[in-house]
Amino acid sequence: MPPRTNDHAPESGRDTGPAEPAGLSAPSASTGAGAPPGPTNARPGTGDRTGARTDTGSGPTTRTRAGAGTESRTGAGTRARAETRAGVKTETGAGAGTKTETETETGTRARTRTRTRTRTRARGRARGRARGRARTRAEAIVRPGPGAEVTGPGPGASPSGVRTASLRRFAATARHSRGAHLTVCGALLAVAMTAGAVAGGGDRGGSPAGAGAGTDAAPAAGALAAGVLAGGDLDAGIRALQSHLRAQPRDVRAWANLGLAYVEQARTDGDPSRYPQAERAFDRSLALGSGNEQALAGRAALAAARHDFPGALKYADRALEQNPYSERALSSRIDALVELGRYDEAAEAADTADDRRPGVPVFTRYAYVRELRGDVRTAREVLERALDGASGPADMAYVATALGQLAWNQGDHETALTHFARALAADEEYLPALEGRARAQAASGDLAGAIGTLEQVVVRSPLPGPLVALGELYEARGADGDRTKAADQYALVDAHAALARAGGVNADLDTALAAADHGDPEAALRAARAEWDRRHSVHTADALAWALHRNGRSEEALPHARRATATGYRSAVFLHHRGMIERATGRDGDARRSLTAALELNPGFSLLGAREARAALEDLEAAR
């Protein structure tokens, strides 16, 4: 399996604790940070009302009028009016564009009333201009990203069909030369990735964002379902948020929710072009409400999705200063510490999160921290408890998939298939479950089923992990044309890495892992070194070790291979890499132990890798 991260963790936002409302929630009806600004009944002034009134304007006329009262207006724009009825009433106003009214009434009951009112016409005009600018900025953010402007098929085309056609065009072009691969793959992959937006119109299957009132009238924020991020119709939720923000462009909470929805959309679709839109939405939310916890937690989730783990940790800590019970911030903090290789701190963070916000997002991360430290039994128990407590399809699919991955890592392929089937029963389109099922099918000997399943995955979301896995399955099958098909998948990894970088994603780890086995070893080493400079996780240690080995520098690779297996994490891939490096450095006994352990742990960890490990063991035995 590829490195396990929480890229597909449900960003449910179900922070129902004391400081955060649920999900894609409505703006607060109070005057708190989440409430959109609007007119109030408060009027500044001293509260005095003494009966005299003067109005100052700019007219050039002078006018005197007698009647029930007397009014005088001069060229300077000053008007004085005195009026006497059953009592005495005098009004005075002064100031350019400002009216101050004071009034005293006397009558048989000798009562006194005091009032002050200030009205600034210039301020009203400024507010109108500000609202116009806010709406303009809102339109710029809620409109589709640059990729959605690519000319696409007509309204009847399906996203998956467009992606399939794009990939086939790429495959046909790619046969000619490696140069052609790299020239066209980025553009074709971009078309494939944005097909959902193009096929449905301007913005993910709805009317173009920014259009006037028509198909989607701007709903009240409260009409947005609280469970959109937790498994509802994400595209519909985004359209509803966009409509709401066109009408209420100063809604702090709605901007944060839109950013989170874009992050979730990018991760579920494998489309990094949404990340810049998410960033702009979060920036807008923070500009309107500096330091608001929901936007800070959203920025943490965005940074983690982009593999900027120092940034994720920074924003998570800032969000937790505002709300120590923020489920999203607690989860992102665990993710960041895990991916930075700071496993002791990650364990402490997981314990803290479990104390404060026990629930599916925290349980799954808690389990992964335990798995990384070799405590598979506890990890399984926690995930089973999380599955028992899962209430919605998204949570059930996510937790069942995590259990399937855990079982697959331990070589229990039948149990893994059972868990993946349960995940797909909850959400038949959940891509990590489909990918996991394909790998378990391959390990169980169902090569045709595995290829068919992975072909479904890469058509919808051509991410590096499933692309490489599908390419290796083609190689393992070895039918006519399979070598070309495999090369097409590996070339698309380069395209996705370029697209990811354009969306602000650090793709060096994916590049290193794919290129070391199926690309340019020197490029793999450059990418692995760059990633190692940023973070020292077990996955980056393994990637650097393998890239060094593929470049003939196995002695230099060995310390990193040992570091990758030092935490107790049970990974057949890591053991295979370590065994091959040990063999290359003449440590035959160590190599036999590592390669044997890899095959005993998970004999189906990779069809090509397992084949290589068995061949190496046979050679080692023959040489004894």
Side-chain angles (χ1 to χ4, degrees):
M1 295 288 279
R4 278 187 57 195
T5 68
N6 287 290
D7 281 359
H8 291 279
E11 285 294 334
S12 61
R14 293 171 292 101
D15 289 1
T16 54
E20 183 177 0
L24 284 175
S25 57
S28 171
S30 69
T31 56
T40 68
N41 292 321
R43 295 186 175 98
T46 61
D48 293 334
R49 188 172 187 180
T50 59
R53 169 172 165 177
T54 302
D55 244 345
T56 302
S58 57
T61 64
T62 300
R63 182 172 59 186
T64 302
R65 182 175 64 189
T70 302
E71 177 176 305
S72 173
R73 178 176 294 179
T74 67
T78 301
R79 182 177 63 187
R81 179 177 181 180
E83 184 175 43
T84 303
R85 291 180 184 152
V88 178
K89 176 177 177 182
T90 308
E91 298 179 348
T92 304
T98 301
K99 179 170 68 178
T100 303
E101 177 180 293
T102 56
E103 179 180 83
T104 301
E105 292 183 10
T106 60
T108 57
R109 295 186 180 180
R111 63 186 179 187
T112 302
R113 184 170 60 190
T114 305
R115 181 177 65 184
T116 300
R117 181 173 64 196
T118 301
R119 181 176 64 205
T120 306
R121 287 187 287 273
R123 182 181 301 172
R125 289 192 295 271
R127 284 177 177 168
R129 289 192 296 270
R131 282 195 294 270
R133 289 194 298 269
R135 287 196 178 94
T136 300
R137 288 193 295 268
E139 294 290 351
I141 298 175
V142 301
R143 286 182 185 274
E149 297 172 2
V150 179
T151 301
S158 68
S160 61
V162 176
R163 291 190 178 114
T164 301
S166 298
L167 291 171
R168 285 176 178 168
R169 289 199 303 276
F170 166 76
T173 306
R175 291 190 182 94
H176 296 295
S177 68
R178 174 69 175 174
H181 278 209
L182 299 180
T183 300
V184 303
C185 63
L188 292 177
L189 184 59
V191 173
M193 298 298 293
T194 57
V198 175
D203 196 66
R204 305 288 306 174
S207 60
T215 304
D216 293 327
L224 197 59
V228 168
L229 285 180
D233 187 340
L234 186 59
D235 290 353
I238 287 175
R239 291 196 300 273
L241 278 167
Q242 290 170 334
S243 295
H244 171 72
L245 284 166
R246 286 193 290 273
Q248 297 288 338
R250 298 184 63 82
D251 188 335
V252 172
R253 185 174 295 277
W255 280 116
N257 284 331
L258 180 62
L260 286 165
Y262 280 144
V263 170
E264 186 69 3
Q265 190 178 64
R267 296 199 291 191
T268 55
D269 291 356
D271 182 3
S273 68
R274 291 291 176 181
Y275 290 138
Q277 287 178 282
E279 183 174 11
R280 291 193 294 271
F282 290 134
D283 287 347
R284 184 72 179 132
S285 179
L286 289 168
L288 291 168
S290 177
N292 78 84
E293 171 264 323
Q294 192 174 23
L296 291 170
R299 285 301 300 260
L302 172 62
R306 283 173 152 177
H307 298 176
D308 172 16
F309 299 110
L313 185 60
K314 177 186 74 174
Y315 282 112
D317 284 341
R318 286 180 60 188
L320 290 170
E321 289 176 1
Q322 304 297 320
N323 175 14
Y325 295 90
S326 168
E327 184 178 71
R328 187 173 291 111
L330 289 166
S331 298
S332 293
R333 190 170 194 276
I334 299 169
D335 292 345
L337 291 168
V338 163
E339 297 301 333
L340 289 169
R342 294 160 58 175
Y343 298 119
D344 289 342
E345 292 175 78
E348 293 177 5
D351 288 338
T352 298
D354 188 38
D355 289 340
R356 293 180 184 175
R357 293 307 304 271
V360 167
V362 171
F363 288 161
T364 51
R365 288 162 170 88
Y366 186 100
Y368 187 43
V369 170
R370 293 296 179 269
E371 183 186 356
L372 285 169
R373 305 181 100 186
D375 188 358
V376 174
R377 181 182 62 82
T378 299
R380 185 183 301 111
E381 290 175 353
V382 171
L383 288 174
E384 288 171 349
R385 181 157 56 102
L387 187 60
D388 290 340
S391 58
D395 282 351
M396 292 181 67
Y398 176 59
V399 179
T401 298
L403 277 164
Q405 290 172 333
L406 183 64
W408 187 88
N409 281 345
Q410 311 312 309
D412 189 353
H413 304 138
E414 291 302 317
T415 299
L417 283 169
T418 300
H419 288 307
F420 292 133
R422 185 169 184 179
L424 292 168
D427 181 356
E428 63 182 6
E429 296 186 349
Y430 190 52
L431 291 176
L434 284 170
E435 181 184 348
R437 184 177 72 178
R439 293 176 185 273
Q441 286 172 321
S444 302
D446 183 7
L447 188 58
I451 289 175
T453 303
L454 274 180
E455 285 175 339
Q456 295 177 46
V457 172
V458 301
V459 162
R460 290 171 49 200
S461 181
L463 292 170
L467 285 169
V468 170
L470 180 57
E472 291 186 347
L473 290 182
Y474 285 140
E475 286 194 59
R477 185 173 66 179
D480 289 344
D482 275 351
R483 185 173 295 277
T484 299
K485 291 180 180 178
D488 292 344
Q489 309 312 308
Y490 304 146
L492 279 173
V493 174
D494 295 335
H496 187 276
L499 190 65
R501 291 189 182 97
V505 180
N506 167 25
D508 282 333
L509 182 58
D510 292 333
T511 299
L513 290 168
D517 282 323
H518 306 291
D520 180 356
E522 293 183 357
L525 183 55
R526 287 194 298 271
R529 285 197 185 281
E531 192 68 15
W532 183 253
D533 288 343
R534 284 187 286 268
R535 56 190 178 114
H536 291 178
S537 71
V538 293
H539 293 102
T540 51
D542 172 70
L544 179 56
W546 196 236
L548 285 165
H549 169 69
R550 289 297 197 184
N551 281 272
R553 302 165 67 170
S554 299
E555 284 290 351
E556 190 179 348
L558 187 57
H560 295 289
R562 288 172 172 166
R563 180 164 182 163
T565 55
T567 67
Y569 180 48
R570 293 166 56 80
S571 167
V573 173
F574 290 6
L575 290 167
H576 164 235
H577 288 170
R578 176 172 173 166
M580 298 302 295
I581 292 168
E582 288 167 338
R583 182 193 179 204
T585 59
R587 295 168 173 83
D588 290 357
D590 291 340
R592 278 192 295 272
R593 284 188 289 274
S594 295
L595 293 171
T596 299
L599 292 170
E600 287 179 349
L601 175 61
N602 185 3
F605 69 90
S606 162
L607 294 187
L608 298 185
R611 183 184 298 173
E612 182 182 55
R614 291 189 187 95
L617 277 173
E618 290 175 2
D619 290 344
L620 288 168
E621 289 299 322
R624 292 183 76 172

